Amino acid sequence: MVADPVAGAAAAGRELVVLGDSFTANGFRWDAKAKECLRGPSSWPTQLSASMGVAGTEEFLDVSCSGASIDTGPGYTLSHEAIEADKIGAFGPETRLIALQFGLNDEWGASETTLWTSLLPCVFNLAEGCGLEAAEQGRITDYRGVSGARFAERMRAVVEYLRYFAPRARIVLVGYPELFPAGQDTACMNVLGVGQYVQPRGRAVVEYLDRIDAAQREAAGLLGIDFFDTRALTAGHGLCSADPWVNGALDPRADLIGLPFHPSAHGDAVVARALHERFGR
């Protein structure tokens, strides 16, 4: 639950408020418990704020943080970020747009595993692979527990809070970009721009991403908020595409030193531009 409002209840609110994880912040922390939240200069919130004319002003607030989850922890959660934003008067009658991007860093089903902790035992495990059986074996977060109803349940208290204290704002759940085409069995990433790492038995991670995408869409409907389909927007530009908009490992076709598995500056620009067209004018 979100704490009782302090400053936010009496504040006019910021025009644009963003809460999210590393796909939002596009900055990285090795320790999820660390207090600092690094945000990249080309992240989609930063580019969106420029398009809306609020960059560098008090009308824009981005409290996104790498490692953030809906409610799993151990780092920042949706509630924590909402509380931080509320303390400095982010939500009020003049708040115009609130964008949320969460879900990939959470535990689902009976699993105590997240996508981050699944990388070595599953995605990069060529010996055992990362097939559908990996969820039952505890080597990847349990995609079987992902549903729109559960997603909405975990977000509902914060969304109701935002709707109450920022009654005129559009609240948008922002989806994730395409990493792999839906339904395929392999997972891969470009390396150095000259080769690929391929996990031939990668259906579990693809299934997880597919179900997160579907759950976000359904949850937005259940919560009565907007859903922004980033995956459809970035289709054909995943990790092993000819024109990737997400970073591989030192792949010059995206951002050479960009955060792997995360959007490139161009990918974030595409998202920011589309968000502005739909919600920011």
Side-chain angles (χ1 to χ4, degrees):
M1 295 293 290
V2 177
D4 291 336
V6 182
R14 308 285 183 102
E15 184 173 340
L16 170 63
V17 184
V18 180
L19 300 83
D21 56 26
S22 60
F23 277 78
T24 319
N26 222 337
F28 184 69
R29 301 178 305 154
W30 282 108
D31 183 1
K33 297 180 182 179
K35 295 295 183 182
E36 82 277 9
C37 292
L38 305 177
R39 302 180 186 100
S42 63
S43 68
W44 66 255
T46 299
Q47 297 193 59
L48 176 60
S49 72
S51 299
M52 292 178 62
V54 296
T57 75
E58 290 296 312
E59 293 303 315
F60 169 52
L61 180 64
D62 179 6
V63 293
S64 61
C65 198
S66 295
S69 59
I70 302 174
D71 58 10
T72 297
Y76 282 85
T77 65
L78 173 58
S79 292
H80 289 141
E81 291 187 9
I83 291 170
E84 289 299 310
D86 176 74
K87 287 178 180 177
I88 50 180
F91 309 118
E94 295 182 15
T95 305
R96 178 180 169 192
L97 178 62
I98 303 172
L100 315 172
Q101 191 174 38
F102 291 90
L104 275 188
N105 292 328
D106 284 274
E107 297 173 358
W108 293 93
S111 172
E112 294 184 356
T113 305
T114 65
L115 182 60
W116 174 249
T117 57
S118 302
L119 293 179
L120 289 179
C122 198
V123 180
F124 292 121
N125 185 345
L126 290 175
E128 297 178 279
C130 196
L132 294 178
E133 71 283 353
E136 186 174 354
Q137 295 169 0
R139 294 190 291 111
I140 192 169
T141 188
D142 193 353
Y143 59 83
R144 300 168 300 179
V146 179
S147 71
R150 180 64 179 130
F151 208 109
E153 178 186 351
R154 295 171 78 163
M155 294 188 67
R156 187 176 302 278
V158 175
V159 169
E160 290 178 351
Y161 167 81
L162 298 176
R163 185 181 287 118
Y164 184 83
F165 287 107
R168 298 176 184 172
R170 292 191 75 170
I171 303 173
V172 181
L173 180 57
V174 179
Y176 292 101
E178 179 183 281
L179 296 182
F180 315 110
Q184 71 177 29
D185 291 325
T186 60
C188 62
M189 67 183 296
N190 285 313
V191 180
L192 301 175
V194 296
Q196 295 181 348
Y197 165 81
V198 179
Q199 171 55 271
R201 293 173 291 166
R203 184 58 185 273
V205 66
V206 177
E207 184 71 16
Y208 177 59
L209 296 170
D210 291 353
R211 294 199 185 201
I212 286 288
D213 181 70
Q216 287 179 313
R217 188 188 315 274
E218 183 181 349
L222 292 171
L223 294 168
I225 63 177
D226 290 289
F227 173 68
F228 181 76
D229 193 349
T230 306
R231 200 178 198 194
L233 179 68
T234 59
H237 298 280
L239 281 166
C240 283
S241 67
D243 181 21
W245 292 353
V246 286
N247 299 317
L250 300 174
D251 183 1
R253 292 177 302 170
D255 293 340
L256 183 62
I257 57 173
L259 185 60
F261 298 105
H262 287 70
S264 67
H266 177 71
D268 272 333
V270 171
V271 172
R273 189 161 52 244
L275 282 167
H276 181 240
E277 287 291 326
R278 182 171 171 187
F279 302 109
R281 292 187 179 276

